[in-house]
């Protein structure tokens, strides 16, 4: 069975040595002293290791089942979810007035990594609920906020997002679910939604569906969509779950992974719901949930990679096969541990440098969101640019990283007992849901790059230049700064190509969108590694082993991965002709 | 349910337009006229589509089960396997004296692609049997050949390879299974073998295990291993399966994929067996099976990618979402087909250019083996160099290609019903078994590259130079030849680095072995694409659509993928310091 022990020390390094949060002027950060964040992270790490991890593999095996129209979660999920709620982990960054802890989004992110790494399927129930909380908090009326937010903060009730229908995933303009206004101000919804995560289950006494639907005579396309709150049970006068609403679970999907998270097909048949936000303004409200969800999915990507890496590392240290090429490492034993082999090392360094770099990027992104929430426009622009990169790159490479971890196990990695296959199977969905990664690349190149006349990119460049400038004061960091500068130059050359061709020939630019997303991912991760290397030089930590390993890993990442930037740039500059040359029937 | 229709036209192009087999002077090729090979491929394609494909997803769901010590295969596997045998597909390249068809290995390879693509798990029973056939044909005594070969050729009995034990996978020197000589010249084997594909099943009346074991007082390590033939049932005087031998199926593994292929743990308890080949010469005999098996696994890698691509293409043509960025493609409909989107195109072109390039490489490799078998030493040296590349690169990238195919399906790709997840799950094992891909890279850089003073590499370079020279006579091919020349220069620069550092500092070279394997893979696939582009220019085929698409795809591959060569070279030249810097306890 796989193990998981959260890497709290590395989180503390990112929070305090790299981001230096307790001295940042971000509202709410002044309380985040090292002792305080460590106490929080240690506490959730304990819950993760003791309660969530043991249920990860059993939950995968048992899965959810639909019986008599109701979804049942795997054994042990009910008490575990209760423990999450009781610990206040689900309401960590909800407002105090809603019963939450009122901590910054950054802390929610750090805690979320730990919970996702330990049991992604179980944490999804809470994660989706938090998305619904955020949407209602921002777009709901005062009455709606009073009614739903406390229940969602505590996860006494859970939430869902209802977008997809059989004929539309990415293309939400094709949504056909109808919402007909009633005399009492409510609506009646009818239609079919699919791929609804946690659409039904037995972990909470009520479920609050946020549903995109079309009112009669609404415009076609996404401009005609409105967002509705549709509970599974209609609250009674005391606010308790009362009459069952017209929402029926038609089936749950058999999936490649996240078996313990039920993916439901829901039939709405005259279900009562209430408009949230403006009529025909559903997309804007839904995007609040989606942006948060996208960051959360990027986090899942590297969180699973981190858990898988921990197991691969343990295996590489203990499994003995063959001899070190430079001579026996442990002559007394029959064979050396796997970790002496250069290619096993490569696999471990790939994982380590990805996971730690991704953690820094996700935490930085979360800190930008905290500043943006407090009204800082530049942070908002930068976070907006980074969102598709965090989602797309951290999930693509997170998946690759779980595959590498499985590879370290050799044949044993393919056996479900070791749990390594589950990391791969679970991680696979992160590249697809909340906007497939090709859609993230389109969002980045088609929208985010040029938004506000390129403000986000300008800010990112300023960050890189400032980081390189201060790094160059330290001789040891000069080669690292040079590597990042070179990668950044490739990114800017690619950006110039996209800007030149994109307007007149969108296909020419968009054929390179995926390469561009990954090129920017390398640059962002390179920036994180340079920052961490700089933090090492100025750290007051006494754990020299940790600091030295961090510096080595920075050297590994910047040396081995920045060369990918040139390759992506060359590919982007080949344009779209080769990609678009074949007629659809000529493939 | 996924579909599969073998791409016989493309196979014919590789066989006749690129390899021009019917005019080659390879023994046995003179009969391989286009009509003849088409008849064979069409026939097996029919069996694949009608009989094997429908059982692929049901076999995955039902899996194998162990009941009362015996393994039962999924419903429908028995008649399907019978159909394979009856069609002569299992004995295609077995000798006529053993009841086979005596066709070249090349035809077995082409047929194997089709059978693996349709149902990899089912074809494994036959594939392993053919490996056992080849080993006995080469290393068995005349009596052993007479006794076992006809049964294995027809798959009346099937075969297995027994190498792995719980404590040893890659490191076979740790094998502990004992073989004690008996007065009658046979041996009694005792020990535990694991991960034995098709170690027990109900598709054949007997199973012939080839088992690596150690005789008493044998040297330690691989030098003390001998190979034994150990049948499940001891043949009686008439050569029919008689008394049960001491081989017991202790369990079957629950795996990520290939559920219809039982992965058995076998206990040998005083099982009777016969030495094959020289005492303590087991490794050499086993390598006959392993090299063939490695090519067969490379073939599985791209075969699954091909089947997955066919489904992704069909989905991209029919599923409608969004609009082409350059304006509606089909204004009458609600939305355009996915295939209009540049990034979907990119995914399809990636798959198409990989699968067709890989097919050309696998077929070329098989044709080299046919020449090598006929005594041509240069072909043998070249095939030996290419074996780890074909195994390692075609499975790594084959897996990536199935992931891309799944991605085209969006959320539907994650649902097991579409079968796209199964392609990914099944393909994953090809990167692990028959030598994990890191071991292939080690074999390439540590052994093959320098073997016979670099004869294999010299021959590969000569092939590339000759191909580029003749391509440069055609203006349209000049840029393609330039791209291949550039990639080859990167490969040679990387080779020089490995040669300079490898002897004194093996870690420095081996840290780059994986990058080198993929660098050589890009060059080999680039060579195949230049060859196919050349073949297009000289083809007498009248299907201009096919030829034009082939040329476009060559342009795509050489333009988009050769830039990866420089990246791999730069990485290789960073050496091993960054990879090896951390102490094992500092990770």
């Amino acid at each position: 069975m796989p193990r998981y022990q959260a890497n709290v020390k590395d989180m503390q390094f990112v929070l305090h040595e790299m981001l230096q949060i307790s001295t940042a002027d971000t509202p709410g950060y002044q309380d985040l002293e090292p002792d305080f964040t460590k106490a929080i992270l240690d506490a959730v790490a304990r819950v993760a290791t003791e309660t969530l991890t043991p249920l990860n593999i059993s939950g995968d095996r048992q899965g959810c089942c639909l019986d008599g129209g109701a979804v049942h979660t795997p054994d042990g999920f009910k008490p575990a979810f209760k423990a999450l709620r009781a610990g206040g982990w689900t309401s960590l960054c909800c407002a105090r007035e809603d019963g939450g802890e009122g901590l910054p989004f950054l802390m929610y992110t750090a805690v979320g990594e730990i919970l996702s790494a330990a049991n992604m399927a179980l944490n999804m129930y809470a994660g989706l609920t938090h998305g619904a909380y955020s949407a209602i908090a921002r777009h709901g009326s005062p009455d709606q906020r009073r009614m739903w937010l406390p229940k969602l903060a505590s996860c006494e009730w859970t939430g869902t997002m209802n977008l997809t229908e059989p004929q539309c995933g990415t293309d939400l303009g094709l949504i056909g679910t109808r919402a007909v206004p009633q005399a009492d101000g409510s609506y009646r919804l009818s239609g079919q939604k699919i791929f609804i995560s946690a659409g039904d289950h037995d972990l909470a006494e009520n479920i609050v569906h946020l549903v995109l639907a079309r009112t009669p005579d609404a415009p076609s396309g996404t401009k005609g969509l409105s967002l509705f709150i549709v509970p599974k049970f209609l609250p009674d006068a005391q606010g308790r779950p009362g009459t069952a609403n017209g929402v029926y679970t038609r089936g749950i999907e058999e999936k490649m992974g996240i078996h313990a998270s039920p993916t439901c097909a829901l039939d709405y048949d005259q279900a009562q719901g209430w408009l949230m936000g403006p009529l025909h303004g559903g997309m804007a409200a839904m995007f609040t949930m989606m942006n948060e969800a996208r960051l959360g999915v990027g986090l899942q990507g590297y969180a699973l990679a981190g858990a898988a890496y921990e197991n691969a590392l343990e295996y590489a240290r203990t499994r003995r096969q063959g001899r070190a090429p430079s001579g026996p490492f442990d002559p007394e034993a029959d064979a050396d541990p796997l970790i002496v082999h250069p290619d096993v090392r490569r696999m471990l360094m790939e994982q380590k440098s990805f996971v730690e770099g991704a953690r820094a990027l996700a935490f930085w992104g979360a800190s930008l969101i905290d500043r943006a929430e407090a009204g800082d426009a530049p942070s908002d622009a930068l976070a907006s640019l980074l969102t598709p990169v965090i989602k797309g790159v951290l999930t693509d490479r997170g998946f690759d990283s779980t595959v590498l971890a499985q590879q370290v196990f050799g044949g044993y990695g393919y056996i479900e007992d070791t749990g390594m296959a589950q990391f791969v199977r679970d991680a696979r969905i992160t590249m697809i849901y909340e906007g497939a990664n090709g859609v993230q690349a389109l969002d980045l190149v088609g929208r985010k790059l040029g938004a506000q006349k390129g403000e986000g990119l300008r800010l990112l460049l300023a960050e890189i230049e400032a980081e390189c400038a201060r790094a160059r004061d330290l001789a040891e960091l000069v080669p690292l700064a040079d590597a990042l500068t070179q990668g950044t130059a490739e990114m800017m050359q690619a950006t110039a190509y996209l800007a030149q061709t994109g307007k007149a020939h969108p296909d020419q630019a968009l054929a390179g969108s995926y390469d561009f997303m990954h090129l920017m991912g390398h640059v962002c991760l390179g920036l994180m590694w340079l920052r961490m290397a700089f933090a090492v030089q100025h750290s007051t930590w006494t754990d020299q082993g940790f600091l030295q390993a961090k510096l080595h890993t920075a050297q590994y990442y910047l040396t081995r991965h920045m060369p990918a930037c040139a390759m992506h740039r060359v590919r982007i500059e080949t344009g779209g002709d080769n990609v678009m040359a074949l007629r659809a029937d000529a493939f």
Side-chain angles (χ1 to χ4, degrees), chain A residues 215-239:
Chain A
T215 49
D217 311 320
S220 65
T222 53
K223 293 190 179 81
L225 296 175
S226 306
L227 189 59
F228 298 88
I229 302 176
V230 186
K232 176 179 174 182
F233 295 104
L234 298 166
D236 65 17
Q238 286 75 42

Side-chain angles (χ1 to χ4, degrees), chain A residues 549-582:
Chain A
K550 189 59 94 178
L551 191 60
H552 280 315
T553 310
Q555 285 162 342
Y556 178 90
Y557 191 87
L558 283 158
T559 311
R560 283 235 162 191
H561 282 279
M562 285 301 111
C565 295
M567 179 190 71
H568 288 300
R569 189 261 304 159
V570 172
R571 277 193 192 156
I572 291 163
E573 289 180 345
T574 64
D577 291 345
N578 287 323
V579 174
M580 306 304 287
L582 295 193

Side-chain angles (χ1 to χ4, degrees), chain A residues 232-519:
Chain A
K232 176 179 174 182
F233 295 104
L234 298 166
D236 65 17
Q238 286 75 42
R240 291 177 306 212
T243 321
N245 204 352
V247 188
Y248 307 94
T249 307
R250 193 163 36 86
I252 58 175
E253 308 289 350
E254 199 180 315
K255 306 186 299 294
M256 183 179 182
I258 51 168
H259 294 151
S261 171
T263 303
C264 301
L266 299 180
D267 281 342
Y268 288 82
D269 182 11
Q270 299 282 326
Q272 189 170 23
W274 292 270
L275 180 69
M276 184 173 85
L279 190 70
H280 306 161
M283 285 299 281
M286 196 47 105
F287 264 111
T288 304
M289 283 180 83
M290 277 170 59
N291 276 333
E292 183 183 314
R294 284 175 179 183
L295 291 171
V297 172
L299 186 142
Q300 290 174 332
Y302 84 81
L304 289 179
Y309 163 62
E310 181 187 338
N311 287 277
L313 176 59
E314 174 69 14
Y315 191 78
R317 280 174 171 153
T318 51
R319 169 82 169 174
R320 290 174 177 272
Q321 290 290 278
R323 288 296 186 188
S326 46
F329 173 82
D330 188 358
E332 313 269 297
D334 279 347
D336 290 336
L338 284 182
I339 200 167
V340 304
H341 298 289
D343 192 63
V344 173
R345 283 288 186 135
R346 173 192 64 83
M347 293 196 276
L348 294 173
M349 289 301 294
E350 284 292 293
Q351 295 170 65
K352 179 180 172 65
S353 64
F354 166 70
V355 170
E356 295 179 11
R359 176 178 294 131
L361 181 58
F363 284 19
W364 181 45
S367 75
L368 291 171
I369 286 175
D370 280 327
R371 294 185 72 85
E373 286 288 317
D376 185 53
S379 295
D380 192 46
L382 198 43
S384 173
L385 177 74
L386 293 178
T387 296
V389 177
I390 290 175
K391 197 284 183 183
V393 174
L394 300 198
T395 60
D396 270 7
R397 294 183 58 192
F399 173 74
D400 290 345
S401 192
T402 62
V403 171
L404 272 182
Q406 185 185 28
Q407 191 74 12
V408 171
F409 275 71
Y412 286 101
Y414 201 63
I415 307 300
E416 290 284 358
D417 270 346
T418 60
M420 301 309 289
Q422 188 188 346
F423 290 126
V424 174
R425 291 188 289 97
D426 287 355
R428 184 66 186 88
I429 189 59
T430 65
M431 297 155 73
I432 299 174
Y433 65 14
E434 306 309 339
N437 286 355
V439 175
Q440 304 299 327
L442 179 67
D443 180 45
L444 176 63
V445 169
R447 279 190 287 266
K448 299 297 178 61
L449 210 49
Q452 299 177 59
K453 298 187 178 163
E455 176 69 359
L457 184 63
R458 195 188 63 68
L459 290 161
L460 177 62
L461 279 180
E463 295 273 346
I464 292 169
E465 278 165 20
E467 196 63 50
C468 288
R470 66 177 188 167
R472 288 210 168 84
D473 289 341
L474 299 159
E476 202 168 3
L477 300 190
V478 171
L480 307 189
D482 288 348
L484 179 59
T485 301
Q486 178 58 34
T488 307
E490 302 287 356
M491 180 175 79
M492 294 318 296
Q493 188 176 333
T495 306
Y497 174 85
L498 297 177
Q500 281 157 21
T501 59
K503 283 242 165 88
H505 308 286
D507 286 353
Q508 296 289 332
L510 293 177
S513 57
Y514 212 81
D515 275 290
F516 188 81
M517 179 175 79
H518 277 280
L519 169 46

